Every structure is written in C-alpha cells, then in structure tokens.
Amino acid sequence: VGLEASLPLLRAARDGLARGWPILSLDGPAAGDAGDVSFPNAGRPVSPVPAPSTAAEDVAVCLYTSGTTGRPKGALLSHANLIANVQSFRTVLHLSEDDVFLAALPLFHAYGATVLFLEPLSIGATIVMEPRFTPEAVLRAIAAHRVTLFAGVPSMYAVLAASPRPAGDFSSLRLCISGGAPLPVAVAEAFEAKHGVPIYEGYGPTECAPVLTVNPPFGKRKPGSVGPAIPQVELRIVDDQDRTLPPGAVGEIVARGPNVMRGYLNRPAETAAVLRNGWYHTGDLGRVDEDGYVYIVDRKTDLILVGGLNVYPREVELVLTGHPAVAEAAVVGMPDPIRGEAPKAFVILRNGERVAPQDLLQWCRQRLANYKVPRSIAVVEDLPRTVTGKILKTAIRSTE
C-alpha cells in the first residue's frame, strides 16, 4: 500500500520477494501488473486477488521501532495483535463509519499504521491522505473534507498552535489524538485556545501495535497524563526486580495483552530481554495514580544520575517549555568530572522570540532543585528527529 510517489520503491521491493504481492495505490494509477489495484479505479471490475491462507497468530507485519535508543528493531506483529488493538482503540473513541480521518503521519510507522489506516479501514470510515505535513494543508483539508479525527505528534500540534487559522468551517473536528512523544501541557493549552478542540494524549510502543493507553474522550481527561489502559490491556509499574509498585511510585511500565508482539526480527536476545514472565517491558519510566491514569516520567535509558540523584529529563524539559519563548526542549546527560553526569539542555525558540540562555537558567533555578538545573543551555534551530518528529537524544549525545 502506498502513494503514487512511492510506487517505484514498492515495485523494487516486490521484485525481491518470493511472492508477487499486489500493490494498492491510494492516490494514482496502479502499478500495472496483474492484481494491482488503485483507489481511483476501485469502482471498476478487477480480477479477484486470491486471499492467502493465514492464521490469526501468523505474522502480519514487521514494523520498525523509532530507534531513539539505538538501531531500530523490527517488531513482529501478528494479525491478532493488530485486530485486538484496533478493536480496543475503537471502543474507547466511539468511532464509526461516519468518521473522517486525516492522515498526515507516515503509515509505515506503528502509530499511523494502526490509528490512521487500519482503524478507519476496519469500520469503513473515510481516510483523507496528506503526503506531507504543513499547517496550511492540514487546516484546509479539515475544512474541505469535514474531517472528524486528526492524529499527530506534539511537534505538529505546536506548529498548528502557532499558525494562523484560515477561513473555513472547522466544526466537524471532534477528536485530536497525540502520541509518539510526550505532549507538553503548554502546547496542548495553546492548541486548544487557538482551535477550540481538546487533545487526547495516548501512549504505546511499536511492540504493542502500538496503543496501550489513551485519555478517554467520553470520560475524565487528565492533562499531563496519557490516560488509563485501553480495553484488553493490563499495565503495571514495577521496580528493577519486577515487583509491583504502589500508586504514585516511579518505575518501569510493563504491559501484557493480545496486542503485544511476538518478538523482534532475528533478535532473540533482545526479545528475551523485553518479554519476561509474560509481560512486555517497555523501558519507559512512569507512575500511575489512584484512578489508573498513567504518567510518563521518562525513558529508562535517558535517566541522568547527578551525584547519585535521579534527574528525569522530561521534568526539566517541561519547565523549559513552560517559558513563553521556548517552543521545544531536549535535555540529555553529559559527563561531569565531579558529579558523574550533569544535565545539558537544547531549546528551540518560538518564532520571533529571543531569550538569553542565562535567563532560561534563572527560570529553571526558580522552579527546580539545584541538582536538576542544566549545566548549560544551547539555543538551536532544530534537533535530530525520527520521521515522526521524535527527538533523537542518542544523536544529540554523540555530537557533543
């Protein structure tokens, strides 16, 4: 499945397979081979494509992780994994065939593949494709196609919050979903003030097909939280010995359910390391409140040890993005000869804003314990990212 621009790549990939899978072109002519289909010609008679014989537990896709902690790994997801996730997500969001989904995320990523492709296909809803994200194109598409659901990453919402709203009727939009990276509360508030639609933040890794939690549109929404577990999913917060921690305590998020992957492609050691005792170990640190709502604290591998004290980069990043001049922030641990590690921050300023690093350091000192305050702050134009806009902290560290 792909857009017309990707057809040469799809043909080349198919040539290397033992079986000639048909290509579905979403916005142009089919590839031209027998069995290929295009959406523009979907109403015309075509030769039936023989359905392969598959079982629910057979591998359906190999989706690659973002690679934020190293080289991307191929997560093997079965048909049953994907179907379970689609069904659970649909239940929470109350989706129907009348919904119109706007897809501006890459569909080879788990987030876009499940939420913006498999989900609407499973209920016969409409998908509006935007090959490239720009705020102008997205806003025009929402008004022109009466879009009801938009799913994006925090950087998209930050841009949309800062962009002028063109003339048009946007009353159809009822659901905005955020995932892929932590959503700063300041970004959510700015977007909602500009566009009048709340953002429902969710969470989940590729290995879980990918949704584990989401703030329920028809329940309590807690800003700063990624919501409770979706149906069929169980979550626990555990310590380093896999012992369950009480509400409020910070530990690793582990999950189990019918959406959890079979394992990594050709990586038995890494598979065994994350799939232990029937639970998938996410590598994410979080806590859960008395209502079962999950709060992401940070990646376990991003934890900074300053003189033996834990510093969670996300806490520092939230303080920095709370400054009116800061659009985005990334905090990493750098070697320190005295304390072992020390936080260093990189910030991107909002359009037209200026602020001295020393002023941002003072902002942090007023809001953080001394050992959490960055050793230095660098103002940058951009940061290394994945295709979905997630900041690559491993790349930041390697260039310092």
Side-chain angles (χ1 to χ4, degrees), residues 161 183-197 199 221 223 322:
L183 175 68
V185 174
V187 170
E189 291 175 345
F191 176 87
E192 292 170 25
K194 170 68 72 67
H195 299 287
V197 181
I199 301 174
R221 182 174 66 113

Side-chain angles (χ1 to χ4, degrees), residues 370-386:
N370 185 58
Y371 69 93
K372 298 179 181 179
V373 175
R375 179 178 62 186
S376 63
I377 296 178
V379 177
V380 297
E381 293 293 324
D382 202 359
L383 291 163
R385 301 173 188 273
T386 68

Side-chain angles (χ1 to χ4, degrees), residues 5-235:
S6 66
L7 290 182
L9 183 63
L10 289 173
R11 292 192 193 103
R14 179 171 62 181
D15 289 343
L17 298 175
R19 177 174 179 173
W21 293 97
I23 293 174
L24 172 61
S25 174
L26 296 175
D27 66 339
D33 295 333
D36 289 342
V37 182
S38 68
F39 264 25
N41 296 326
R44 301 178 185 176
V46 296
S47 300
V49 178
S53 176
T54 57
E57 296 304 322
D58 287 346
V59 172
V61 291
C62 176
L63 294 179
Y64 278 80
T65 62
S66 297
T68 53
T69 58
R71 189 177 178 183
K73 297 181 287 292
L76 299 174
L77 297 168
S78 69
H79 296 276
N81 292 153
L82 299 172
I83 291 170
N85 211 224
V86 163
Q87 290 174 339
S88 296
F89 199 58
R90 179 196 312 155
T91 300
V92 175
L93 269 60
H94 293 203
L95 302 172
S96 76
E97 63 181 10
D98 296 325
D99 279 304
V100 179
F101 291 64
L102 177 55
L105 289 169
L107 298 185
F108 58 77
H109 188 271
Y111 181 14
T114 292
V115 175
L116 295 173
F117 185 62
L118 296 179
E119 189 67 68
L121 280 184
S122 73
I123 55 177
T126 300
I127 307 172
V128 176
M129 302 292 299
E130 278 296 333
R132 183 174 300 173
F133 171 82
T134 65
E136 298 83 4
V138 164
L139 292 171
R140 285 198 302 267
I142 290 172
H145 299 284
R146 306 296 295 159
V147 169
T148 64
L149 185 148
F150 175 76
V153 294
S155 57
M156 289 180 174
Y157 288 110
V159 171
L160 289 169
S163 301
R165 185 168 173 171
D169 182 1
F170 298 90
S171 61
S172 61
L173 188 62
R174 68 180 185 90
L175 282 175
C176 284
I177 308 297
S178 181
L183 175 68
V185 174
V187 170
E189 291 175 345
F191 176 87
E192 292 170 25
K194 170 68 72 67
H195 299 287
V197 181
I199 301 174
Y200 295 90
E201 187 176 5
Y203 158 75
T206 300
E207 292 87 341
C208 295
V211 186
L212 288 177
T213 73
V214 69
N215 274 277
F218 298 91
K220 182 184 293 185
R221 182 174 66 113
K222 296 188 179 185
S225 165
V226 294
I230 63 174
Q232 303 187 73
V233 168
E234 293 180 73
L235 294 180

Side-chain angles (χ1 to χ4, degrees), residues 247-314:
V250 174
E252 185 176 8
I253 302 170
V254 298
R256 70 179 177 186
N259 57 316
V260 174
M261 69 170 183
R262 296 184 50 161
Y264 293 122
L265 177 66
N266 298 329
R267 293 198 177 193
E270 287 93 334
T271 297
V274 299
L275 293 177
R276 305 196 308 270
N277 302 318
W279 293 83
Y280 168 67
H281 291 62
T282 67
D284 290 318
L285 295 172
R287 59 183 175 84
V288 63
D289 66 15
E290 297 288 350
D291 296 325
Y293 281 62
V294 177
Y295 295 78
I296 306 299
V297 174
D298 230 312
R299 284 291 297 173
K300 202 172 182 179
T301 52
D302 289 340
L303 179 68
I304 304 171
L305 287 174
V306 180
L309 299 173
N310 291 347
V311 175
Y312 300 111
R314 191 184 182 210

